[in-house]
Amino acid sequence: VNQFHVARASERDGISTCERLRAEGHPGVGVATIFVSWFLETPLATLVDAMSEYLRQHPDVPRDAKWWVCDYVIRQATRQLAKEDNDVKKLGECVRSVGHTVLLMEPWHDPTPLKRAYCIKEVWHTQASGARFEVVMSAAQQEDFERALVRDFDSIQERMARVDVRDCECRKPEDTKDILRELGKAVGLLECNQQVHGLLREALAAQ
């Protein structure tokens, strides 16, 4: 529903939600300091809950921190998406520019974002640029994760080891091919897989 209305507004004026709000002088828009990597079919309420959970766990983060959330930053107009220089193609640049990526682990034991090619691309650009990387969960998932830490720690490592870059997908098969080709050319898919696993281990240890 959110994406439908965001896209419809963008079709009218060709700009993103953030661009529109900035033009209106909205105080909630500014330079992003946290890039959010998430699966687009995650309920928006879950995403907001996880972002609130992150702020609770990190009292050092300013309450007015700006979050890079694709629905609102990327221009959703069809005429923009069809261009060769559309915003989606600049994801890697955005990740590197923000310098701090937070991946939504939802659900934590089988995180959907790690099955999506765009999210894997975002994680790789985070690692390649030396940007800060962390994971976040909704309050309910965080509670379940903490129970697993106590009862069955080995299962956490086993589940994370199942992540395989080569199996990730996009809504459009051609996008999947393009991203896998890009990662294969830049670092090789096996090496990319190892790097993603390394980042996840470190992030979950910190969590």
Side-chain angles (χ1 to χ4, degrees), residues 57-143:
Q57 296 174 6
H58 298 81
D60 57 310
V61 175
R63 301 298 295 185
D64 63 347
K66 303 298 187 292
W67 303 73
W68 197 104
V69 180
C70 56
D71 277 12
Y72 304 105
V73 180
I74 291 176
R75 292 168 291 175
Q76 303 290 340
T78 304
R79 59 181 178 274
Q80 295 290 349
L81 294 175
K83 291 182 178 180
E84 280 300 311
D85 62 344
N86 72 61
D87 296 341
V88 176
K89 294 183 180 296
K90 301 174 184 175
L91 275 179
E93 296 175 43
C94 293
V95 170
R96 291 169 180 265
S97 178
V98 175
H100 181 187
T101 299
V102 173
L103 174 75
L104 177 59
M105 298 280 284
E106 196 73 25
W108 76 262
H109 54 81
D110 188 24
T112 311
L114 295 176
K115 299 177 182 179
R116 311 308 295 176
Y118 276 115
C119 291
I120 292 294
K121 176 178 177 175
E122 292 160 4
V123 172
W124 181 78
H125 277 283
T126 300
Q127 193 279 336
S129 64
R132 180 178 173 184
F133 178 75
E134 294 169 302
V135 297
V136 67
M137 308 168 194
S138 63
Q141 288 294 314
Q142 180 70 30
E143 185 177 339

Side-chain angles (χ1 to χ4, degrees), residues 11-78:
E11 290 288 0
R12 287 196 294 267
D13 55 22
I15 61 177
S16 70
T17 299
C18 280
E19 287 176 304
R20 193 174 305 110
L21 291 173
R22 183 177 60 181
E24 297 169 0
H26 196 289
V29 180
V31 177
T33 53
I34 302 174
F35 184 100
V36 183
S37 184
W38 66 303
F39 176 44
L40 294 182
E41 292 183 22
T42 303
L44 200 62
T46 300
L47 175 64
V48 173
D49 179 53
M51 292 160 70
S52 299
E53 187 69 10
Y54 180 86
L55 291 175
R56 184 187 68 78
Q57 296 174 6
H58 298 81
D60 57 310
V61 175
R63 301 298 295 185
D64 63 347
K66 303 298 187 292
W67 303 73
W68 197 104
V69 180
C70 56
D71 277 12
Y72 304 105
V73 180
I74 291 176
R75 292 168 291 175
Q76 303 290 340
T78 304

